[in-house]
């Protein structure tokens, strides 16, 4: 009986927390069908009093939404795949190979996570400028190819894979390339999924770096476009909410599809240090 | 509602038609007042060239003037790059520091210190600029002008016409003095016991911008001392203005610090009958708060004969990147000249921003006077003063002072002294120099 009561109480707490977490999203979604004056009115209602779709229809008035969306999708997918691959590769080397300076190298990787991004952004900007990569996706993709967080996470994850499997493959004549691609990668799919989800989210939402290095409207990303709704004196909230509602669809889909692997991956990488 | 929408549509079409008319200048005839633009002059020897123009906010407006210019010079391509307002000020200086920055960029004078070192002076003689535009002298640095104002923005009183009529007020009741204003505000206030139902006036979150940094001039006191650097916010004039604000809420009871977070929204929500806002609010009312039937009148004065009616701030002409290649700079110089000489572009930009034209010949332009927030300024526009591109601490420190007075029970003298100390500390390394001494009626 006592156990049942605490279970109900726990579920109630979780329900309240769930509502608190989801409510702003529902409010934003609902407000994307309201006029600005209703969004800013003193008397607030969750559902639109006057339902309009013009915020969605006129989304392109501020920028070419579809273009920005596709650009973001392209850059995010490329960076996510690249980071997932390089993180797994580096994680494999750092966890399964024994060589001099391995811990030092790993410490160096960890140290990159400890530097605040605002410290590196100016030198990074100057480097990109001197390489002549401004206004090009090279400036977005190449500096993002390696992730300290990804390498750390994958090292932790791959450490949990039994050495015996890799040894058996070597005895059977498998080379390192084969072992990595045919054994390690499939066995690390939970860890890869969690890295991929994190990286997808970060790249999709990243605003400042794409804004600084991309000038052409036809190459610009969605996160930058969303900022265009904030004017000097006012904000077009209706259009902003409509664009935001659509912009989070890829993130939701990614999370829905990889939810199981994500949780398993996070749990696995936390098991062993 | 319909009337408001029609008015907004009319204003928008006026702005666009004004710009569409820029194409009229695609002829060979030189145009302009003192600053003449000759469309027949070849640009870049007729060879193709591309320059970038960075701006924030108003794509259509900028694109229209670009279209007018490129129609005259088909060999020139001007690539418009739109930016979000806040982050523009991070990206622009970084870009101007390198070789690939935009040749042309939109300027806001509040970022003067961050941008001026990257700007090339205009190729137009200062005396020509002064002949055509108001306030140029304040922009002269070592005999050169890097940018000037195309429009002047200041505060006016917006009132809710329906509330005005319900209170039994007519056009004849429009107040000229602050005493009259306070009486009108009392009539517009509705209370249910002690509970405020409708504020006669709201200045929440905005008192520093629209009262403290402007009404001091009405009492003959500048914002800065004679050295042009030391803030003067502990003056008797400032204390009198602050006391009036406190009295309006606490003695007259026409509003409350707790009645709405921002006065601009409170007015739009139909909870306040009057609000003082700068020109941009006219556009906000026509777009966001289109249900409000509003009127506009000029800011009241203490005695009818103010030293200056209020402070204004200029909307700036484009900046030219001194680090851009020479051929691009030449195009940029030509484009700015085209903009300054082109009356229709000037009208369109001023209507879009709800600023009073700095171009002297346009002060009685009927398209400008059709905008009520501008027409009320026309009579005394020469009695508005610009203190220069003040560092942001002047605004933020006075805002804090007001908040301390209203919310933390700090007395006026202490709060203003604290603001003064704060400003002096923050402005220690600033190159700011007030230009109040250049006001036409400066004492």
């Amino acid at each position: 009986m006592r156990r049942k009561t605490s279970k109900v109480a726990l579920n109630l707490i979780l329900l309240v927390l769930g509502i608190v977490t989801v409510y702003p999203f529902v409010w934003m979604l609902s407000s994307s069908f309201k006029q600005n004056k209703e969004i800013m009115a003193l008397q607030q209602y969750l559902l639109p009093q006057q339902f309009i779709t013009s915020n969605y229809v006129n989304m392109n008035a501020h920028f070419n939404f579809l273009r920005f969306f596709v650009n973001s999708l392209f850059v995010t997918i490329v960076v996510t795949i690249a980071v997932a691959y390089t993180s797994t590769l580096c994680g494999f080397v750092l966890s399964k190979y024994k060589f001099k300076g391995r811990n030092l190298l790993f410490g160096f990787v960890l140290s990159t996570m400890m530097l605040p991004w605002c410290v590196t952004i100016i030198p990074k900007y100057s480097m990109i400028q001197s390489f002549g990569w401004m206004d090009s996706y090279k400036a977005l993709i190449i500096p993002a190819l390696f992730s300290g967080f990804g390498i750390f996470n994958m090292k932790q994850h791959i450490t949990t894979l039994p050495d015996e499997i890799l040894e058996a493959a070597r005895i059977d004549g498998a080379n390192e390339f084969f072992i990595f691609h045919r054994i390690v990668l499939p066995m690390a799919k939970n860890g890869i999924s969690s890295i991929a989800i994190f990286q997808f989210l970060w790249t999709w939402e990243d605003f400042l770096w794409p804004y600084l290095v991309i000038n052409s409207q036809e190459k610009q990303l969605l996160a930058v476009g969303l900022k265009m709704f904030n004017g000097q004196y006012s904000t077009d909230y209706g259009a902003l909410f409509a664009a935001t509602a659509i912009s989070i669809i890829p993130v939701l889909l990614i999370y829905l599809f990889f939810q199981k692997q994500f949780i398993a991956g996070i749990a696995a990488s936390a098991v062993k240090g | 509602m319909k009337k408001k929408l029609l008015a907004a549509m009319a204003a928008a079409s006026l702005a666009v038609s004004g710009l569409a008319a820029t194409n009229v200048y695609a002829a060979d005839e030189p145009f302009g007042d003192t600053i003449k633009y000759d469309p027949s002059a070849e640009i870049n020897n007729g060879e193709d060239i591309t320059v970038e123009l960075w701006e924030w906010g108003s794509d259509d407006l900028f694109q229209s003037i670009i279209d007018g210019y490129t129609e005259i010079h088909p060999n020139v391509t001007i690539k418009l790059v739109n930016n979000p307002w806040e982050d523009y000020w991070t990206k622009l200086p970084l870009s101007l520091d390198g070789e690939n920055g935009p040749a042309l960029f939109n300027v806001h004078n509040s970022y003067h210190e961050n941008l001026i070192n990257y700007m090339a002076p205009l190729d137009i003689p200062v005396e020509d600029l002064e002949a055509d535009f108001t306030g140029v002298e304040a922009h002269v640095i070592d005999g050169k002008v890097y940018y000037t104002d195309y429009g002047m923005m200041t505060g006016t009183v917006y009132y809710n016409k329906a509330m005005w009529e319900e209170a039994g007020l007519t056009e004849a009741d429009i107040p000229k003095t602050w005493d009259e204003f306070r009486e009108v505000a009392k009539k517009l206030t509705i209370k249910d016991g002690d509970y405020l139902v409708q504020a006669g006036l709201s200045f929440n979150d905005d008192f520093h911008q629209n009262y403290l940094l402007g009404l001091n001039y009405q009492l003959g006191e500048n914002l800065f001392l004679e050295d042009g650097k030391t803030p003067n916010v502990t003056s008797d004039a400032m204390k009198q203005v602050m006391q009036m604000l406190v009295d309006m809420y606490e003695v007259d009871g026409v509003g409350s610090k707790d009645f709405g977070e921002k006065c601009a929204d409170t007015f739009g929500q139909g909870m306040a009958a009057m609000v003082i806002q700068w020109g941009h609010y006219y556009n906000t009312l026509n777009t966001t708060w289109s249900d409000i039937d509003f009127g506009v009148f000029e800011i009241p004065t203490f005695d009818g004969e103010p030293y200056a009616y209020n402070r204004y701030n200029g909307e700036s002409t484009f900046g030219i990147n001194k680090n851009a290649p020479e051929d691009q700079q030449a195009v940029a110089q030509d484009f700015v000249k085209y903009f300054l000489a082109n009356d229709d572009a000037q009208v369109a930009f001023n209507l879009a921003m709800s600023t009073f034209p700095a171009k002297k010949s346009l002060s009685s332009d009927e398209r400008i006077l059709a905008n009520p927030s501008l027409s009320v300024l026309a009579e005394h526009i020469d009695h508005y003063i610009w203190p220069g591109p003040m560092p942001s601490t002047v605004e933020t420190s006075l805002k804090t002072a007001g908040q301390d007075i209203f919310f933390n029970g700090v007395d006026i003298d202490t709060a203003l002294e604290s603001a003064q100390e704060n400003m002096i500390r923050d402005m220690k390394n600033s190159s700011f120099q007030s230009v109040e001494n250049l006001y036409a009626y400066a004492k």
Side-chain angles (χ1 to χ4, degrees), chain A residues 138-190:
Chain A
K138 280 185 276 188
L140 296 179
I141 295 170
I142 295 174
L145 284 179
F146 291 87
S147 155
F149 176 77
I151 294 169
F152 166 73
N153 236 12
M154 291 314 295
K155 179 194 178 290
Q156 303 299 92
H157 190 82
I158 294 170
T159 303
T160 63
L161 302 182
D163 290 343
E164 290 77 9
I165 296 176
L166 309 183
E167 290 304 325
R170 284 189 187 109
I171 290 165
D172 286 346
N175 62 19
E176 297 306 307
F177 185 85
F178 184 94
I179 290 170
F180 175 70
H181 288 96
R182 304 298 289 271
I183 298 174
V184 175
L185 270 180
M187 288 183 78
K189 69 176 180 187
N190 288 345

Side-chain angles (χ1 to χ4, degrees), chain B residues 138-195:
Chain B
H139 290 281
V140 178
I141 302 169
D142 297 332
K144 292 170 183 168
V145 171
Y146 294 78
Y147 69 94
T148 187
D149 304 328
Y150 68 77
M152 298 175 279
M153 193 183 284
T154 188
T156 49
V157 185
Y158 292 82
Y159 66 97
N160 184 312
K161 281 187 173 175
M163 293 176 182
W164 195 266
E165 278 174 29
E166 275 168 30
L169 297 167
T170 65
E171 288 281 308
D173 295 305
I174 286 178
K176 295 281 182 197
T177 66
W178 286 108
D179 287 339
E180 291 170 5
F181 182 82
R182 288 173 69 169
E183 289 308 313
V184 165
K186 284 181 202 169
K187 288 179 186 168
L188 287 164
T189 304
I190 300 175
K191 285 184 176 176
D192 182 6
D194 286 340
Y195 182 71

